[in-house]
């Protein structure tokens, strides 16, 4: 009987072990299947997210191509988000977000006619894992033509006579249109069709409150500075050049007049005179109808013109201790006065232009050429003496030529080769009457100049 009992217990022990083993195997099998299922789900989600991110990145590149085709000058180096305004794509802020995906477009200069575009999309896959997709493309200024010979003599090929006797003050060119502001008169904002440069004709116009001082054109909007104390900045919708309209204004605190203006993406940088209030103002123009203050700074001097490069604003100033002022705008709500450069003499710097890492500053009849490779330590590399007071500067020939609009003298349009910044050389001149503003257009290879001539406020100069 004892032996029989032992056999029964042994059989029961084997059965228990087999059950435990079966349960263990089953558990492992279930765990593996569940793990495979969950991993498959995550892989599917990751794959789907990557596909969507790739589509958004590709869309970013296509949008930049669209913006390039509107005007190559829209491709200013920097990092941007994308948005739509009046059914048109625009750069807006430093990134945009779509359904949990963050997109950033980075623009960098390759050479005079090419830009490197990076479209990066990132997202958070789960708490432990993030994802990103980057697509890169090079865009060419395919509309640019070979520049002609700008050596003497240059040729007047067309003029436009605006009604009244008020002078042409500043000009911007975009596509087939030139946008002109005058120092008063009816009208004082004029859109000229230059699709045939030799036959410029009126497309549209406005009479603005106050007196315009300067203009910057980007995309569907013209940004005009003004002496009107209630609207130092006026934003004009030019999506239909034949029928421009004021869609928004900005009233800066104090009575200082709006003077200089530069716009990057959805941010406008306004320079003012010393009539009261801060003289450097950063404005959110993402909604052109309701521009709003981001930040400001009191510099104590008139800021005549502004250019932006990366995280820095460069100002042509009335400060005799530093005619070039440099502002850190990396935190737009809190701009910081970093440094500046003092040029010889006490003449104000009144105009400024940017050519990659080279600044050109007009101070009286002197063209100051400044290396800003190290933004906080600008270096004066050369000075060029123009024929008269330099009123405006426009860059051309892949930033190798500076076109100078000058007061009455031996040359009212002067072309200077700055391809070697330390050795500026005069290329050619045009002798007419005082030019207050100039905009060179590389597509038509023409210099569009505005000035004091009553029957030709706009003059079109060809090589």
């Amino acid at each position: 009987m004892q032996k029989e009992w032992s056999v029964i217990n042994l059989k029961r022990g084997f059965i228990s072990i087999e059950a435990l083993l079966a349960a263990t195997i089953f558990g492992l099998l279930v765990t593996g299947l569940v793990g495979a299922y969950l991993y498959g789900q995550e892989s599917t989600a990751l794959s789907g997210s990557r596909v969507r991110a790739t589509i958004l990145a590709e869309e970013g590149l296509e949008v930049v191509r669209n913006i390039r085709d509107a005007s190559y000058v829209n491709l200013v180096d920097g990092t941007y988000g994308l948005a739509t305004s009046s059914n048109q794509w625009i750069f807006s802020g430093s990134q945009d977000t779509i359904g949990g995906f963050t997109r950033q477009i980075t623009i960098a200069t390759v050479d005079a006619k090419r830009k490197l575009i990076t479209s990066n999309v990132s997202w958070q896959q789960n708490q432990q894992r993030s994802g990103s997709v980057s697509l890169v493309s090079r865009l060419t200024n395919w509309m640019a033509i070979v520049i002609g010979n700008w050596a003497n003599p240059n040729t007047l090929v067309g003029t436009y006579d605006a009604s009244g006797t008020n002078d042409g003050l500043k000009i911007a060119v975009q596509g087939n249109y030139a946008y002109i502001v005058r120092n008063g008169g009816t009208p004082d904002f004029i859109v000229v069709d230059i699709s045939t440069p030799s036959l410029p004709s009126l497309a549209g116009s406005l009479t603005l409150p106050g007196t315009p001082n300067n203009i910057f054109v980007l995309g569907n909007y013209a940004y005009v500075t003004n002496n009107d104390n209630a609207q130092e900045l006026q934003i004009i919708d030019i999506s239909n050049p034949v029928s421009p309209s004021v869609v928004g204004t900005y009233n800066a605190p104090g009575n200082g007049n709006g003077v200089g203006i530069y716009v990057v993406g959805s941010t406008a940088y306004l320079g003012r005179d010393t009539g009261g209030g801060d003289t450097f103002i950063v404005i959110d123009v993402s909604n052109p109808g309701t521009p709003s203050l981001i930040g400001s700074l009191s510099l104590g001097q008139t800021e005549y013109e502004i250019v932006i490069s990366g995280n820095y604003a460069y100002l042509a100033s009335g400060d005799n201790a530093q005619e070039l002022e440099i502002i850190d705008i990396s935190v737009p709500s809190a701009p910081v006065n970093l440094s500046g450069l003092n040029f010889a003499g006490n003449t104000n710097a009144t105009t400024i232009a940017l050519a990659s890492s080279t600044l050109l500053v007009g101070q009286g009849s002197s063209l100051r050429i400044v290396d800003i490779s190290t933004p906080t330590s600008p270096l004066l590399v050369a000075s060029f003496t123009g024929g008269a007071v330099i009123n405006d500067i426009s860059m051309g020939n892949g930033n190798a030529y500076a076109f100078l609009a000058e007061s009455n003298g031996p040359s009212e349009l002067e072309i200077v080769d700055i391809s070697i910044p330390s050795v500026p050389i005069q290329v050619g001149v045009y002798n007419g009457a005082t030019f207050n503003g100039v905009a060179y257009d590389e597509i038509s290879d023409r210099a569009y100049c505005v000035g004091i001539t009553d029957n030709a406020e706009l003059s079109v100069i060809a090589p």
Side-chain angles (χ1 to χ4, degrees):
M1 292 295 293
Q2 183 67 36
K3 183 178 179 180
E4 192 174 315
W5 178 259
S6 298
V7 172
I8 293 171
N9 284 340
L10 183 60
K11 288 181 177 179
R12 288 176 177 173
F14 278 126
I15 292 171
S16 298
I17 292 171
E18 289 172 353
L20 179 61
L21 182 60
T24 301
I25 293 172
F26 180 75
L28 291 173
L29 182 61
V30 170
T31 301
L33 290 173
V34 171
Y37 174 75
L38 293 176
Y39 179 78
Q41 277 195 322
E42 184 177 7
S43 296
T44 301
L46 177 60
S47 177
S49 295
R50 185 167 295 278
V51 168
R52 187 177 179 194
T54 302
I55 292 172
L56 290 172
E58 289 175 343
E59 179 188 59
L61 293 180
E62 290 302 319
V63 167
V64 178
R65 287 190 184 95
N66 181 268
I67 293 174
R68 182 275 311 269
D69 290 346
S71 178
Y72 187 75
V73 298
N74 291 335
L75 302 187
V76 178
D77 289 3
T79 299
Y80 308 100
L82 299 174
T84 57
S85 177
S86 300
N87 296 319
Q88 297 289 326
W89 284 103
I90 61 170
F91 294 122
S92 177
S94 59
Q95 62 185 38
D96 62 281
T97 303
I98 311 101
F101 294 83
T102 300
R103 178 169 56 193
Q104 286 188 314
I105 304 296
T106 301
I107 301 174
T109 296
V110 176
D111 54 35
K113 291 182 172 61
R114 291 183 297 170
K115 296 281 188 176
L116 181 68
I117 313 299
T118 303
S119 180
N120 183 75
V121 177
S122 59
W123 73 98
Q124 194 67 36
Q125 182 69 20
N126 54 39
Q127 290 184 349
Q128 292 78 33
R129 180 184 297 180
S130 61
S132 66
V133 170
S134 288
L135 300 180
V136 179
S137 180
R138 286 192 178 189
L139 297 185
T140 302
N141 185 9
W142 60 270
M143 293 180 289
I145 64 173
V146 177
I147 192 169
N149 180 9
W150 282 90
N152 287 329
N154 300 316
T155 306
L156 177 68
V157 296
T159 63
Y160 173 74
D161 179 16
S163 60
T165 59
N166 292 85
D167 300 340
L169 193 57
K170 297 293 180 181
I171 180 171
V173 170
Q174 181 176 273
N176 288 327
Y177 297 94
Y179 301 88
I180 301 168
V181 290
R182 300 200 295 169
N183 60 353
T186 305
D188 51 12
F189 175 84
I190 301 170
V191 185
V192 178
D193 185 336
I194 54 170
S195 54
T196 302
S198 59
L199 295 171
S201 60
L202 179 66
S205 65
L206 285 173
T207 299
L208 300 171
T211 302
N213 286 316
N214 216 325
I215 185 171
F216 190 97
V217 171
L218 180 63
N220 287 328
Y221 298 96
Y223 301 83
V224 175
T225 59
N226 201 288
N227 287 348
D228 191 318
N229 287 330
Q231 43 187 306
E232 288 87 353
L233 175 63
Q234 299 162 331
I235 303 176
I236 301 170
D237 186 340
I238 54 171
S239 56
N240 181 4
V242 175
S243 183
S245 62
V246 177
V247 293
T249 63
Y250 178 75
N251 181 17
N255 295 322
N257 298 322
V259 184
I261 183 67
Y262 199 94
V263 183
V264 178
S266 60
T267 306
Y269 300 87
L270 173 68
R272 296 206 294 170
D273 65 21
T274 56
D278 289 349
T279 53
F280 178 74
I281 301 176
V282 185
I283 303 168
D284 180 355
V285 293
S286 56
N287 183 349
T290 57
S292 60
L293 177 68
I294 297 176
S296 63
L297 190 64
S298 179
L299 298 170
Q301 300 292 337
T302 297
E303 310 307 330
Y304 290 96
E305 285 194 353
I306 302 168
V307 295
I308 305 295
S309 179
N311 288 327
Y312 301 95
Y314 299 89
L315 285 61
S317 175
D319 188 338
N320 289 330
Q322 49 181 30
E323 288 84 0
L324 172 64
E325 294 185 310
I326 303 174
I327 311 298
D328 184 339
I329 54 172
S330 56
V331 181
S333 60
V336 177
N337 187 5
L338 282 184
S339 60
L341 199 57
N342 183 24
F343 302 134
N346 293 322
T347 303
N348 296 338
T350 57
T351 185
I352 190 168
L354 178 67
S356 187
S357 61
T358 301
L359 280 178
L360 289 88
V361 184
Q363 182 200 19
S365 60
S366 296
L367 178 67
R368 309 297 187 181
I369 303 173
V370 181
D371 183 348
I372 56 168
S373 300
T374 304
T376 55
S377 300
L379 177 65
L380 179 66
V381 295
S383 293
F384 175 87
T385 301
V389 172
I390 301 169
N391 294 320
D392 201 13
I393 306 170
S394 182
M395 303 307 302
N397 192 18
N399 287 335
Y401 285 0
F403 291 78
L404 312 181
E406 299 178 353
S407 296
N408 197 26
S411 58
E412 284 70 40
L413 175 66
E414 189 165 11
I415 301 95
V416 181
D417 185 339
I418 61 151
S419 55
I420 302 175
S422 59
V423 189
I425 300 171
Q426 185 192 77
V427 174
V429 299
Y430 173 80
N431 187 14
T434 293
F435 288 143
N436 295 316
V438 57
Y440 172 78
D441 176 52
E442 202 157 76
I443 295 173
S444 61
D445 193 25
R446 298 290 184 268
Y448 298 88
C449 304
V450 290
I452 66 170
T453 303
D454 286 340
N455 63 353
E457 285 85 357
L458 169 65
S459 297
V460 184
I461 314 297

